[in-house]
Amino acid sequence: MTDVRHADASPRVASIVVVQLIVGGLLTLASVALGWWILSRGVDPFPIDEWWNALVAEWWHPALAGFSRVMNWVGGGWVGVLAVPIGGAVGLVLLRRPWAAAYFLAAEAVSAGFVQVLKHAFGRVRPEDILVVSDYGSYPSGHVANAATIAVAAFVIFPRLWVAVVGAAWVVLMAFSRTYLHAHWLSDTVGGALVGAGAALLVAAAFAVPLTRERVVPRAPSTGR
């Protein structure tokens, strides 16, 4: 038998889907709107971008630089694009959460696709003092988008407060590392967080029903005693 607590879950799932679609759509649209605002300024960064870029330059320290380079490696390249998604999916399958694994991979793929579309649509120039090799387009930050997708997807799969806190901290640290290496302007990281979280929520809406069914905990058959 399945847990009776899930018997009347359909209205609840429907409301969750609506919220995910609305919030995910708004976040994604906000990332596009921010990109258009940046594009309308030409090559001039926002004042807050210039201020933050100069501020982190004053905080230069080998330990922070080393940490940021590790984050650069973990959040991008073959590690961020292949190893993390595949490793996460394998772990979820081992936990007997195949739909969660499929959702995680789909969210990562959609997020990466959104990022590339926006990068090529806006073609923002990166800071001149960049310290690492990066791909085309400064807006939005792909590293931060990936971090936000992982954070939101993890909370969708494991809705616990500590998961949300750890996920938020991961996104903030990734954003800091990207600006510390001058790979992105601060507004690039904001755009990355918006599109990454938006993509994760939109895909979550598509997987809401199977994800909910997968959470049903089987109960032992009644013995009639």
Side-chain angles (χ1 to χ4, degrees):
M1 294 178 59
T2 57
D3 194 327
V4 294
R5 291 176 299 175
H6 297 273
D8 298 319
S10 295
R12 176 173 168 273
V13 173
S15 63
I16 290 174
V17 169
V18 171
V19 171
Q20 289 173 335
L21 286 174
I22 292 175
V23 177
L26 288 175
L27 291 176
T28 304
L29 288 174
S31 70
V32 175
L34 179 57
W36 279 114
W37 187 12
I38 290 171
L39 185 65
S40 69
R41 296 177 58 86
V43 296
D44 297 328
F46 294 115
I48 193 173
D49 287 332
E50 296 180 308
W51 168 77
W52 182 256
N53 196 53
L55 183 64
V56 293
E58 296 176 1
W59 293 347
W60 182 256
H61 189 279
L64 287 176
F67 166 77
S68 297
R69 290 184 181 278
V70 169
M71 295 292 280
N72 176 66
W73 179 74
V74 171
W78 67 269
V79 177
V81 175
L82 293 176
V84 171
I86 294 175
V90 169
L92 289 167
V93 169
L94 292 176
L95 291 174
R96 297 182 180 179
R97 299 291 301 275
W99 277 110
Y103 159 62
F104 183 66
L105 288 175
E108 287 278 86
V110 171
S111 176
F114 281 1
V115 166
Q116 290 305 312
V117 168
L118 295 179
K119 279 180 177 289
H120 286 82
F122 300 119
R124 191 183 197 185
V125 178
R126 294 179 185 270
E128 293 182 355
D129 43 357
I130 183 172
L131 300 176
V132 291
V133 177
S134 296
D135 62 359
Y136 175 81
S138 188
Y139 182 88
S141 168
H143 282 66
V144 176
N146 187 42
T149 299
I150 292 172
V152 173
F155 184 73
V156 169
I157 297 169
F158 304 107
R160 300 289 185 273
L161 177 60
W162 71 268
V163 175
V165 171
V166 172
W170 176 250
V171 174
V172 170
L173 290 174
M174 185 62 75
F176 173 80
S177 71
R178 301 311 288 158
T179 57
Y180 193 80
L181 294 173
H182 306 288
H184 288 283
W185 302 105
L186 182 62
S187 54
D188 296 333
T189 65
V190 174
L194 290 172
V195 72
L201 288 173
L202 290 175
V203 177
F207 281 81
V209 172
L211 285 176
T212 301
R213 289 174 178 168
E214 199 171 58
R215 294 193 190 103
V216 175
V217 180
R219 295 195 319 188
S222 174
T223 60
R225 296 179 181 178

